[in-house]
Amino acid sequence: MKEVTVDPDKSTAEVTMPGIATSNVSTMDACIAHAREIITAQLERIKSKDYDFAPEFKEMTIQLYLFGVMWKFAESLGNVNDARELAFAALKSMLIQDGLHKRKVAKRIEFLKKMSKIEDDHNALAVAIGYESESDDNSLAEVFDHYVDDVQVSGAFWRLYDRGRKIMLYGGLFISFIVIWFITLFMPGNSAMAIFAAGLISAALFVIPVFLIGLFIYRKKIKAAKQAD
């Protein structure tokens, strides 16, 4: 299989894969236009549902859903041998058009390719439902409804994690600064290396307990969710 290249400075993409003719430049544009039409309608339908998911999970799910939509659309055109790869190329072009840096897009597409498959080489739920979606259905809501009770992808759990991460970062820096300041001011004569080491140790003594508490809360919430299921 040859390389799929996307020029971020142009509105069209150049695709050179076996069985894909130059007319697939317009095919990719058609896939993107179709995906934008579908996602606009689907996002409008789920607006009133107030789903509370972690931002990264929500973004990934929508992108996998769009991949499924474009995959089916590319197949429906009937002039593409590898509609799956073309759909990923179209998604890549779409993300670049949306302003994501080209290098980040490449990593994102590799990540989505891994997440698009689950055990036994089956398609992920979002991909499968996107593939079967229609313009006037509630397919995106159907995807998200599967994860409403999943604690690991909930917005509340993500906010707890984000707060814990900030507490460890800023708290550790603050404690380290206080210890370094105290030693420098009241215990002169220590080497710079010894003062720095004391700052690191004091930061670790703060971060490690906070991390363990966060891990305990995480396991407790996951256990409670499994018992509820």
Side-chain angles (χ1 to χ4, degrees), residues 186-216:
F186 297 103
M187 301 175 65
N190 291 287
S191 66
M193 185 62 70
I195 295 173
F196 181 70
L200 286 179
I201 292 172
S202 60
L205 291 175
F206 173 81
V207 169
I208 291 174
V210 173
F211 172 78
L212 292 176
I213 292 171
L215 185 63
F216 172 76

Side-chain angles (χ1 to χ4, degrees), residues 83-104:
R84 193 174 192 276
E85 282 301 315
L86 181 59
F88 272 123
L91 182 59
K92 181 177 181 179
S93 180
M94 183 178 179
L95 293 177
I96 291 174
Q97 289 177 18
D98 289 342
L100 195 61
H101 192 277
K102 186 176 181 180
R103 186 173 297 177
K104 291 184 178 180

Side-chain angles (χ1 to χ4, degrees), residues 131-155:
Y131 185 89
E132 299 295 338
S133 66
E134 301 291 341
S135 58
D136 58 348
D137 63 12
N138 293 299
S139 50
L140 187 58
E142 183 182 347
V143 177
F144 283 130
D145 285 344
H146 280 82
Y147 300 101
V148 167
D149 298 322
D150 191 337
V151 176
Q152 297 180 77
V153 298
S154 71

